[in-house]
Amino acid sequence: MDKWILKAMLGFIKIFSKKDVDFERLKIIAETKVLMDRRRAPASFRQKQRKEPKNPLLITLIIYTILGIFMSLMIIFIKSFMVSMIFLHAYLLFIMAMTLITDFSSVLLDTTDNQIILPKPVNSRTLFLARVVHILTYLLQFTIALTVFPLAVTFVKFGILSGILLSATLLLTVAFSMFFTYLLYGLILRFGNEQKIKDIVGYFQIFMTVFFAVGYQVIPRLINFENLNYTFTLYWYSYLLPPVWMAMALDAMHQFNFDSIHLLMIFCAFVIPVFCTWLMIKYLAPSFSRKLAALSNNNEAAKKNVTGKKFSKDLSEKLSRVMCVTQTESAGFEKVWKMTGRDKNFKLQFYPSLAYLLVFAFIFVFKSGKNISEIWNTLSSTKMFLWFVYLPMFSIASSLSIVAFHENYLASWIYQSTPITKPGEIISGMLKALMLKFFVPVYFILFIFSLYVWGYIIIDDFILGFFNNVLIYLLMASLSRHYLPFSRQPAIKEQAGKFVQIILQFLIIALLIGTHYLALKIYWLPGALIPFSIVTAYLLLKKIQQLPWLKISN
C-alpha cells in the first residue's frame, strides 16, 4: 500500500514542483525512508516482540484496521449521526496524534539527514519536500487502515454524499493532528531542548499504554448501556473542538440544514485545517528543522563542557547509605535506582503494571456492576482493606523479571571484572531499590486512603501487611532464577517452568492473605505475627546476600 501512496505523492510533486527541486534525488530519498519504515518496529509493540517480524509496519496496520472495525460497529449501533461522527473524528484525532508523538517521533526528531544528505549535492528544499512526502505517506497508510471500515459503513448507512464528505473531513482531521504535533514540539523546543522532547515522548508512550490498559477494564464497567443517551447538545466550548466542527459540517450536508451555526461549523471544518496545514508547511516545519539542527550542535558543545563539573550527591546515594550494609550492596542499589529512572524500556513495561492497581481495586473492591455509592457507604464495615494491603505486591512482583533485561546487556561484563565474592549483595541492593522506589510510595498512599475509610484500627494490619509483602517479595526472589540487574538480552525467550513458578508465587500470596484474614478474628493476633514476619524476611534477605557466583544465572 505504501508503494501506491508514494507513487501518487511523487506524481503530484512532479507536476507542481519548482525548478529548484531535484525530483530524482527527492524520489530516491523518499523511497529509502519508506523502506526503512517497513523495518522499524513501532514503540507500542517493540517490547512485546520475541522474534523480529519481517514487516513490523504491516502488523501495525493490521492492528489499526481491527480498531477501525470496532469504530465501524459504533457507527452501526449509534442511532445519532452527529454523535457517531463526533466519536469517529475524536478517535481519529487522538490516535493519529499519539501515533505521531510516540511511534513517529524518531523521524520528526531525526537530525541525521542534515549531517548525511545535505553535504551531498542535495539542496535543502529537496530534502524538506522528501521529508514531507515521507511523513504524508506514513500518515495516509494509517489513515486508510483506521478508516476503511468506518467509511464503508457510512457509504452504506448514510449514502454516497455523506461517505465522500466524510473522506474529506477525515483527511482534514489527520492534517490537524499533524499540525498539533508540530506545534507541541515547537513549543517544547522554544522552552526546552531535544532531550526534553524525547523525555515527553517517553511519558506519552507510557500514558498511551496506561490509558488503554485501564480504560479497557474500567470504562466499559462505568457505562450503563441500557440507559445510554445518543443525543448531542451544543455548548459554548463545542466551537473549540475540531471533531464537533467535522461532525456538524457532515450533519449539515446529511440533513441539508444550512443555518448560521452549521455554516460556521462548515467554515471551521474546511478552512481552519487548510490554513493550519499551510502554516505548518510554510513556517512551522522549516522553523522546527532549523531549531532542531541548532540544538543538536549546541548539545554537542554542551557535552564537552560538562566534564570537570562536580555534582552534589543525589537521592539514591543518600538512601543507599541508610538502606545498605556493604559497598557492593550500595552499588547495586544506586545502579538500579538510577537505571529504572532513565531507561525508557523499563518504564514502558513496568509502569502499566502499577496502573493495573486501579483496575484490580475497581474489580475486587467496588464489585463492578453494583451501585458504587452504595458500596462506598458500607465499605468501612467490611474487611476489603486487605486488598489494599496486598494489591501492590501483584504489580511490584513484575519488576523482578523486567529489571534483568536491557538493550546494552553486553555492558554487564563489568560485574565479572570486579573483585566481588558475593554477587548476592548486588541482588539484595537491587531488591531494596525496587521496594523503596516503587512499592513503599504506593503502599503509603493506599494506607492513607484506608486510614481515612476504616480508621486507626487497621494500622497494625498494614504494619503486618508491609512485612508480609517484603517476605513475599523476598520469597519470589529466592525461588526465581537469580540474574544480575540489566544483564540479559531482551530477545532471549523465557525458560520452561515459568508457569509453575508463577502458580507457586500466587499460592504463597494467597496463603499469607488467608492467614492474615483469619488473624483478624483475634484482635491481638495481627500484632503478634509482626515479629515472626520480620525475622523470616530478615533470614531470607541474608540468604540472598550470601549467594555465590555459582548461583547466578547467565
Side-chain angles (χ1 to χ4, degrees):
M1 183 169 62
D2 54 358
K3 293 181 179 179
W4 301 335
I5 297 174
L6 182 60
K7 285 182 180 180
M9 294 292 301
L10 290 174
F12 182 83
I13 292 291
K14 188 173 185 179
I15 295 173
F16 295 99
S17 60
K18 297 180 180 179
K19 294 181 179 179
D20 57 346
V21 175
D22 190 325
F23 179 77
E24 292 302 323
R25 288 183 170 86
L26 183 151
K27 179 181 178 181
I28 293 172
I29 296 170
E31 288 177 345
T32 304
K33 287 178 175 290
V34 170
L35 179 63
M36 292 171 66
D37 270 348
R38 296 180 202 155
R39 301 172 179 173
R40 179 173 56 85
S44 303
F45 309 102
R46 206 169 285 152
Q47 296 305 316
K48 299 179 183 179
Q49 301 289 341
R50 291 296 184 191
K51 184 179 180 182
E52 189 70 22
K54 294 181 179 179
N55 193 340
L57 183 60
L58 179 61
I59 297 174
T60 309
L61 290 174
I62 293 172
I63 293 173
Y64 275 47
T65 304
I66 295 172
L67 292 176
I69 293 174
F70 286 110
M71 292 305 300
S72 63
L73 293 175
M74 181 199 66
I75 297 174
I76 293 173
F77 291 111
I78 292 181
K79 297 178 182 179
S80 171
F81 178 77
M82 267 287 296
V83 174
S84 62
M85 290 299 107
I86 290 174
F87 277 137
L88 177 60
H89 287 88
Y91 148 83
L92 181 64
L93 183 65
F94 176 78
I95 292 294
M96 294 305 296
M98 291 299 100
T99 300
L100 277 169
I101 291 172
T102 56
D103 291 337
F104 209 56
S105 59
S106 58
V107 176
L108 292 175
L109 301 176
D110 187 19
T111 57
T112 55
D113 286 349
N114 299 331
Q115 302 167 6
I116 297 174
I117 300 178
L118 281 182
K120 307 297 188 293
V122 178
N123 59 49
S124 58
R125 186 171 181 82
T126 300
L127 178 59
F128 171 71
L129 283 178
R131 288 173 66 92
V132 170
V133 170
H134 173 216
I135 293 171
L136 290 178
T137 303
Y138 179 89
L139 285 177
L140 286 173
Q141 289 180 82
F142 280 82
T143 303
I144 293 172
L146 286 165
T147 62
V148 60
F149 283 100
L151 270 173
V153 170
T154 303
F155 271 105
V156 173
K157 186 176 180 180
F158 299 109
I160 297 177
L161 179 60
S162 297
I164 294 173
L165 292 174
L166 178 61
S167 304
T169 56
L170 291 175
L171 290 175
L172 292 172
T173 301
V174 173
F176 224 94
S177 67
M178 191 171 176
F179 171 77
F180 282 142
T181 304
Y182 266 106
L183 189 62
L184 172 66
Y185 284 156
L187 289 173
I188 297 171
L189 281 180
R190 177 69 176 82
F191 301 102
N193 53 31
E194 182 183 0
Q195 185 58 43
K196 180 69 71 175
I197 291 183
K198 292 179 179 178
D199 292 340
I200 291 176
V201 167
Y203 289 123
F204 264 111
Q205 292 173 351
I206 295 168
F207 166 76
M208 283 285 287
T209 308
V210 170
F211 175 82
F212 285 111
V214 176
Y216 175 76
Q217 295 290 339
V218 175
I219 292 176
R221 291 176 166 86
L222 293 175
I223 299 175
N224 186 350
F225 288 97
E226 294 180 0
N227 300 323
L228 194 62
N229 188 10
Y230 300 105
T231 59
F232 171 75
T233 303
L234 190 67
Y235 296 100
W236 63 268
Y237 53 80
S238 303
Y239 295 95
L240 305 176
L241 304 175
V244 178
W245 305 345
M246 306 299 176
M248 289 202 70
L250 291 169
D251 185 65
M253 300 296 183
H254 179 65
Q255 298 186 4
F256 291 99
N257 182 6
F258 297 99
D259 55 21
S260 58
I261 295 177
H262 281 84
L263 287 174
L264 176 62
M265 292 298 186
I266 290 173
F267 175 83
C268 292
F270 288 93
V271 176
I272 294 180
V274 172
F275 173 75
C276 289
T277 303
W278 173 82
L279 194 67
M280 175 184 65
I281 295 174
K282 186 72 175 178
Y283 297 105
L284 282 180
S287 174
F288 176 77
S289 298
R290 288 194 298 269
K291 287 181 180 178
L292 202 58
L295 278 174
S296 180
N297 295 331
N298 292 337
N299 289 341
E300 291 298 324
K303 289 177 184 177
K304 296 177 182 178
N305 297 327
V306 168
T307 57
K309 287 188 178 181
K310 198 171 183 178
F311 297 97
S312 60
K313 292 184 181 298
D314 59 14
L315 180 61
S316 63
E317 295 178 34
K318 295 176 182 177
L319 290 174
S320 67
R321 290 182 174 182
V322 179
M323 299 297 298
C324 301
V325 179
T326 65
Q327 290 185 348
T328 302
E329 193 176 50
S330 295
F333 182 97
E334 292 178 27
K335 178 181 178 65
V336 171
W337 186 287
K338 292 175 181 177
M339 289 292 290
T340 53
R342 298 170 183 170
D343 186 25
K344 184 180 68 175
N345 295 333
F346 177 86
K347 294 178 183 178
L348 281 172
Q349 293 178 84
F350 177 68
Y351 282 11
S353 67
L354 290 179
Y356 261 102
L357 283 173
L358 297 174
V359 178
F360 292 143
F362 190 88
I363 293 173
F364 295 136
V365 178
F366 291 102
K367 308 284 188 185
S368 59
K370 294 185 179 180
N371 189 296
I372 294 179
S373 61
E374 180 183 343
I375 294 172
W376 175 260
N377 293 331
T378 59
L379 196 59
S380 59
S381 62
T382 67
K383 305 297 183 183
M384 289 295 179
F385 63 85
L386 279 179
W387 287 111
F388 294 113
V389 173
Y390 292 100
L391 271 177
M393 185 46 58
F394 284 94
S395 295
I396 193 68
S398 64
S399 65
L400 280 174
S401 58
I402 298 173
V403 76
F405 297 96
H406 197 265
E407 291 181 352
N408 297 325
Y409 69 97
L410 292 175
S412 61
W413 65 267
I414 193 69
Y415 293 128
Q416 285 77 20
S417 68
T418 54
I420 297 174
T421 57
K422 296 179 182 178
E425 292 180 349
I426 298 177
I427 296 177
S428 65
M430 172 191 78
L431 297 174
K432 289 180 179 181
L434 293 172
M435 284 290 295
L436 189 61
K437 186 173 185 179
F438 298 112
F439 175 80
V440 172
V442 174
Y443 195 79
F444 180 74
I445 292 171
L446 294 177
F447 168 69
I448 296 299
F449 173 79
S450 300
L451 192 64
Y452 171 78
V453 176
W454 283 276
Y456 68 92
I457 60 172
I458 53 92
I459 292 178
D460 58 341
D461 293 291
F462 265 82
I463 295 174
L464 174 61
F466 177 81
F467 290 108
N468 278 348
N469 277 305
V470 173
L471 178 59
I472 293 169
Y473 197 56
L474 294 175
L475 273 172
M476 290 181 177
S478 297
L479 296 173
S480 305
R481 299 189 67 176
H482 305 297
Y483 295 101
L484 294 173
F486 308 107
S487 62
R488 298 188 67 197
Q489 184 179 3
I492 294 178
K493 294 184 178 180
E494 297 294 330
Q495 300 296 321
K498 189 74 173 176
F499 178 74
V500 176
Q501 179 183 323
I502 292 172
I503 293 297
L504 186 59
Q505 291 172 354
F506 273 94
L507 286 175
I508 294 171
I509 294 173
L511 179 63
L512 285 172
I513 293 176
T515 304
H516 195 154
Y517 180 78
L518 293 174
L520 292 175
K521 298 181 182 298
I522 305 174
Y523 72 93
W524 54 266
L525 191 54
L529 289 173
I530 292 174
F532 174 78
S533 184
I534 292 175
V535 171
T536 308
Y538 175 77
L539 293 175
L540 273 174
L541 180 63
K542 296 300 290 184
K543 178 184 176 183
I544 293 173
Q545 289 173 340
Q546 298 300 320
L547 287 172
W549 281 107
L550 291 175
K551 297 290 185 179
I552 304 299
S553 301
N554 296 321

